[in-house]
Amino acid sequence: SPVPEDVPAGTVVAVLKVRDRDSGENGQVSCELSGESPLSIVASSGGSYKVVTASARDREQASEHRVTVVARDRGRPALWSSTELVLEVSDVNDN
């Protein structure tokens, strides 16, 4: 669902569950967002992460934001996986 351009910073727009079946450091996973966007990622409990709004969005500037989420384990060598998220922005003052 599109997110209104006027939602406050800190609004949760996605929840991600990340897990690695390995044990020890190989099973510890961290996530980060790649690229510039008005979003940030926050670790939650139980291997979950919340993608939240971090700054203002302006639909006239960009009707969507594409970010890449990268999950990386702590093994040596580190293994990783990525996926793209698309945040659609809806206009609240459409003239």
Side-chain angles (χ1 to χ4, degrees):
S1 297
V3 174
E5 64 185 345
D6 65 346
V7 298
T11 300
V12 177
V13 296
V15 176
L16 309 172
K17 176 75 173 175
V18 180
R19 69 183 171 125
D20 186 332
R21 295 177 192 228
D22 289 337
S23 61
E25 285 190 341
N26 287 345
Q28 296 176 9
V29 180
S30 63
C31 285
E32 61 187 34
L33 295 182
S34 170
E36 291 186 35
S37 78
L39 302 173
S40 62
I41 193 163
V42 179
S44 191
S45 62
S48 294
Y49 287 83
K50 295 177 184 176
V51 179
V52 299
T53 55
S55 62
R57 290 135 321 277
D58 183 358
R59 184 162 186 337
E60 284 74 24
Q61 296 281 328
S63 62
E64 68 178 28
H65 299 280
R66 293 178 179 271
V67 295
T68 302
V69 178
V70 179
R72 187 178 329 273
D73 73 11
R74 294 186 60 197
R76 290 190 182 98
L79 300 177
W80 60 274
S81 181
S82 66
T83 191
E84 184 179 67
L85 296 178
V86 178
L87 174 69
E88 295 179 2
V89 180
S90 65
D91 201 352
V92 296
N93 59 355
D94 198 5
N95 296 324

